[in-house]
């Protein structure tokens, strides 16, 4: 069957089921119907073959089964599915919620913004009307009071005129549309900061709620309500678990308790507990953010007061950034207020999905079932087996991890949401919390915890067998797919709220890390002589250069950077001819001695006879 034709058939089936339920007085959403269709098809007891095309009789059978399950108001399994669908449709992460909230606010202000940016006012009356629209835009965007309250409008107008007088409208109209929108946002933040500062000084702040004080009271109240609901749900979980443990030890009781659907009730309360913990975690995050913002708000106000003090005029470059920071903080307070309100409303809307417990398990029945039964909490179960740890030498081919040897243990995605897979598979669906201190089994890049060491050893002998048993159990009870996070086995049933956690599947435990130590080689600071030169030829070059410099004369020059800054002048003494007069020179000379020795070259005789000849002239001859 082509994909488009298959989609059309599925839509028709969903529409027909919804109409059948509406005819019986039960209004169901298309999302719930679609989930129920998949749940019925997955259940092997219904006999649907996923590999062949549905015949007309199959469609009629599917519609009949889905309608019957959707109209069964005394079934905890149906309540769990409804709870999961409602939570999936109404819950988003903190980042996504704030992003969507801001997008909705922008869309609501779009028409007002266009009236201002597309305005072509010319006359005085039109300019005044445009200025009033800007004031209304500022109030609507800031959320600090109603634009119909005359006191609030006057205060906002006065604050706007101090930074953007009406005479500036002409310049504003010449800007492009994007620049107009940017300036409107900037003006809103500055006016908001001014009004918040005036409110803190007791000189204004009409219509501004004390959001820090409101959040300071609302967060503890909401947290206390969720804690109380969580405690009630956990007490109920512990009682159901204790009864089911008693049933597993005494098989004769299983027939007696079959009509009560204890396991489906346990899944219902466990799912409620998990949703409450998710909401509580978000509220704790809100409380932490609010605490930080309150400190920042006080610091910004003090900084603004110290900047302004008693001065009548302050440079805008100093105060405008502080006003904008104040407005940004106040916007964050508004976001936290809306988020707390949504989470509180979500909590209250989850409570009706627990209505079947009072009908199926009144106090008399519960007291009878709890006779001779010890009710244990999850913490007590974990403490009982704290010392029972897996021995690594017993497993050569499997990898076991422990919380103290893993750096990112909190970020690991433990399979089955931390419940013991072995107990769930062998007891036909009993949920017991796993104990990570016993050991975390790593099998095919997935991580499993167990409630006892014996359960860990048994599961490790044949993991695939128990994984298949759990998958088969989830086909019969579709609510287990989301409860135990089995979306990898049933990819078509991944809810939107779990899509953001897909990356967790790729988180690997950090069991090893590289570390190094270094000893200081040089304790004292280095004394490097930059002028040192080892090259002999470089030294010769420098020597020649210095010798050459000794014969040069220093000159001063005038540059383009300094010739207009100061006068340069030099003073010299002009050269002049000077002479001295003395007496006539006189001198006397003596004759220069001229003495020669003849016969030094020798002659015919062997002996040399030298003759001294004095040719020096007499003194009187000179």
């Amino acid at each position: 069957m082509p994909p488009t034709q298959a989609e059309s058939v599925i839509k028709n089936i969903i529409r027909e089921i919804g109409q059948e339920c509406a005819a019986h007085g039960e209004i169901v959403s298309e999302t719930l119907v679609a989930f129920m269709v998949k749940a019925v098809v997955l259940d092997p007891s219904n006999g649907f073959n996923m590999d062949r095309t549905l015949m007309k009789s199959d469609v009629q059978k599917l519609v009949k089964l889905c309608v019957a399950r959707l109209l069964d108001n005394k079934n905890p399994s149906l309540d769990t599915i409804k709870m999961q669908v409602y939570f999936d449709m109404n819950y988003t992460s903190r980042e996504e919620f704030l992003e969507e909230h801001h997008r909705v606010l922008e869309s609501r202000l779009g028409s007002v913004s266009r009236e201002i940016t597309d305005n072509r006012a010319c006359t005085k009356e039109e300019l005044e009307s445009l200025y009033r629209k800007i004031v209304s835009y500022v109030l609507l965007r800031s959320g600090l009071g109603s634009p119909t309250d005359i006191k609030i409008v006057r205060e906002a107008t006065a604050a706007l005129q101090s930074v953007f007088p009406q005479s500036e409208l002409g310049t504003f109209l010449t800007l492009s549309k994007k620049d107009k929108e940017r300036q409107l946002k900037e003006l809103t933040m500055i006016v908001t900061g001014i009004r918040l500062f005036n409110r803190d000084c007791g000189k204004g702040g009409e219509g501004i709620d004390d959001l820090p004080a409101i959040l300071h009271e609302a967060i503890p109240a909401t947290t206390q309500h969720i804690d109380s609901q969580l405690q009630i749900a956990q007490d109920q979980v512990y009682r159901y678990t204790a009864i089911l443990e008693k049933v597993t030890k005494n098989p004769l009781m299983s027939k007696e308790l079959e009509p009560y659907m204890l396991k489906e009730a346990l899944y219902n309360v466990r799912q409620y507990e998990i949703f409450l913990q998710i909401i509580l975690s978000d509220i704790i995050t809100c409380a932490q953010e609010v605490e930080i913002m309150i400190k920042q708000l006080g610091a910004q106000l003090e900084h603004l007061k110290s900047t302004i003090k008693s001065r009548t005029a302050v440079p805008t470059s100093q105060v405008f950034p502080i006003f904008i920071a104040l407005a940004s903080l106040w916007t964050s307070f508004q976001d936290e207020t809306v988020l707390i309100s949504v989470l509180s409303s979500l909590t209250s809307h989850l409570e009706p999905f627990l209505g079947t417990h009072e009908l199926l398990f009144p106090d008399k029945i519960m007291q009878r079932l709890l006779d001779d039964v010890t009710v244990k909490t999850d913490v007590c179960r974990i403490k009982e087996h704290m010392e029972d740890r897996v021995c690594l030498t017993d497993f050569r081919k499997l990898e076991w991890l422990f919380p103290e040897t893993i750096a990112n243990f909190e970020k690991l995605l433990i399979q089955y949401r931390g419940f013991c897979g072995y107990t769930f598979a062998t007891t036909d669906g009993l949920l017991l919390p796993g104990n990570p201190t016993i050991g975390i089994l790593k099998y095919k890049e997935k991580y499993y915890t167990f409630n006892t060491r014996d359960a860990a050893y048994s599961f490790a002998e044949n993991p695939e067998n128990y994984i298949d048993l759990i998958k088969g159990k989830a086909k019969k009870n579709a609510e287990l797919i989301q409860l135990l996070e089995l979306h990898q086995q049933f990819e078509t049933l991944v809810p939107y709220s779990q899509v953001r956690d897909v990356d967790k599947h790729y988180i690997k435990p950090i069991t090893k890390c590289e570390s190094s130590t270094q000893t200081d080689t040089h304790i004292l600071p280095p004394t490097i002589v930059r002028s040192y030169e080892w090259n002999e030829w470089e030294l010769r070059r420098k020597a020649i250069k210095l010798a050459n410099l000794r014969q040069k004369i220093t000159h001063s020059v005038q540059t383009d950077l300094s010739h207009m800054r100061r006068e340069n002048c030099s003073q010299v003494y002009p050269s002049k001819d000077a002479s001295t007069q003395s007496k006539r020179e006189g001198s006397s000379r003596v004759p220069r001695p001229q003495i020669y020795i003849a016969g030094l070259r020798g002659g015919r005789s062997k002996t040399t006879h030298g003759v001294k000849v004095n040719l020096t002239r007499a003194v009187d001859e000179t």
Side-chain angles (χ1 to χ4, degrees), residues 342-455:
V342 170
L343 292 175
S344 178
S345 175
L346 181 59
T347 304
S348 61
H349 282 84
L350 289 177
E351 295 179 18
F353 298 110
L354 302 174
T356 55
H357 295 277
E358 296 181 358
L359 298 175
L360 295 175
F361 308 103
D363 292 337
K364 292 182 179 180
I365 295 178
M366 289 300 296
Q367 289 176 1
R368 181 173 59 85
L369 295 175
L370 288 172
D371 288 341
D372 301 329
V373 174
T374 303
V375 179
K376 300 178 183 178
T377 65
D378 289 347
V379 177
C380 292
R381 294 178 186 278
I382 292 175
K383 288 182 178 180
E384 286 180 353
H385 303 280
M386 289 290 288
E387 303 300 328
D388 298 335
R389 297 167 67 93
V390 171
C391 185
L392 297 179
T393 57
D394 295 338
F395 300 92
R396 299 296 182 183
K397 297 182 180 180
L398 295 177
E399 184 178 357
W400 291 87
L401 308 173
F402 298 93
E404 64 271 12
T405 61
I406 305 175
N408 59 338
F409 169 69
E410 294 80 7
K411 296 181 180 180
L412 290 182
L413 180 65
I414 305 297
Q415 293 297 305
Y416 313 130
R417 210 183 283 269
F419 293 109
C420 177
Y422 173 80
T423 304
F424 182 83
T426 55
T427 58
D428 194 27
L430 176 60
L431 293 177
L432 291 181
N435 188 353
T437 58
I438 294 175
I440 304 170
L441 174 63
K442 181 180 179 182
Y443 179 73
K444 292 185 177 181
E445 300 302 324
K446 297 178 182 178
Y447 309 98
Y448 302 86
T449 56
F450 310 95
N451 65 321
T452 62
R453 185 172 60 180
D454 294 339

Side-chain angles (χ1 to χ4, degrees), residues 269-282:
V269 187
R270 277 291 188 187
Q271 186 65 79
Y272 180 66
E273 175 195 8
I274 291 169
F275 286 158
L276 287 183
Q277 288 174 345
I278 294 173
I279 297 172
L280 184 61
S281 176
D282 287 348

Side-chain angles (χ1 to χ4, degrees), residues 555-590:
H555 292 274
S556 63
V557 296
Q558 192 79 16
T559 64
D560 291 338
L561 298 177
S562 62
H563 76 283
M564 292 295 291
R565 296 185 181 180
R566 62 183 179 88
E567 295 181 356
N568 289 340
C569 62
S570 60
Q571 183 176 2
V572 297
Y573 292 93
S575 59
K576 64 179 180 177
D577 296 334
S579 61
T580 58
Q581 188 176 7
S582 62
K583 294 182 179 181
R584 183 174 60 87
E585 293 183 355
S587 62
S588 61
R589 289 191 296 178
V590 296

Side-chain angles (χ1 to χ4, degrees), residues 19 24 27 84 92 102 138 153 186 232 261 305 392 397 411 417 433 468 470 486 493:
Q19 292 173 355
H24 290 81
I27 305 299
Q84 292 171 346
T92 57
H102 293 162
V138 169
V153 172
E186 186 175 346
I232 294 172
M261 296 180 286
K305 290 178 182 178
L392 297 179
K397 297 182 180 180
K411 296 181 180 180
R417 210 183 283 269
D468 291 339
I470 295 171
L486 301 176
L493 293 177

Side-chain angles (χ1 to χ4, degrees), residues 155-281:
E155 182 182 340
T157 304
L160 182 62
Q161 286 177 346
S162 64
V163 295
F164 183 73
Q166 193 169 344
S167 58
E168 296 290 333
L169 282 177
T171 306
F172 176 79
L173 291 172
T174 61
L175 299 175
S176 64
K177 185 172 183 178
K178 289 186 177 179
D179 290 337
K180 289 178 182 177
E181 292 175 351
R182 180 188 56 79
Q183 188 168 355
L184 284 174
K185 293 178 181 179
E186 186 175 346
L187 286 173
T188 301
M189 299 188 76
I190 294 173
V191 171
T192 301
I194 293 173
R195 294 188 62 200
L196 291 172
F197 177 69
N198 292 338
R199 172 184 171 276
D200 186 69
C201 297
K203 300 179 181 178
E206 187 72 27
I208 301 177
D209 297 326
D210 191 357
L211 293 184
I214 293 173
L215 287 171
H216 191 70
E217 296 179 359
I219 291 177
T222 306
T223 306
Q224 185 178 1
H225 173 68
I226 295 178
D227 282 334
S228 62
Q229 292 297 115
L230 189 60
Q231 185 63 44
I232 294 172
Q234 288 176 342
D235 291 341
Q236 208 163 9
V237 164
Y238 302 149
R239 291 196 296 269
Y240 289 158
T241 304
I243 296 171
L244 288 172
E245 275 187 315
K246 181 180 178 182
V247 172
T248 56
K249 296 177 182 178
N250 186 5
L252 297 177
M253 292 183 60
S254 58
K255 294 183 179 180
E256 179 185 354
L257 294 177
E258 187 175 355
Y260 295 111
M261 296 180 286
L262 262 175
K263 290 178 184 177
E264 288 78 3
L266 176 62
Y267 302 154
N268 181 261
V269 187
R270 277 291 188 187
Q271 186 65 79
Y272 180 66
E273 175 195 8
I274 291 169
F275 286 158
L276 287 183
Q277 288 174 345
I278 294 173
I279 297 172
L280 184 61
S281 176

Side-chain angles (χ1 to χ4, degrees), residues 9 18 57 65 158 173 176 207 271 333 341 352 355 486 524 593 611:
V9 171
S57 59
L65 289 173
L173 291 172
S176 64
Q271 186 65 79
F333 279 117
S341 175
L486 301 176
L524 299 176
V611 179

Side-chain angles (χ1 to χ4, degrees), residues 587-614:
S587 62
S588 61
R589 289 191 296 178
V590 296
R592 183 177 179 181
Q594 293 182 352
I595 300 174
Y596 297 95
I597 299 176
L600 292 177
R601 292 183 178 179
R604 296 178 179 179
S605 61
K606 294 181 179 180
T607 58
T608 302
H609 300 278
V611 179
K612 183 177 182 182
V613 180
N614 188 358

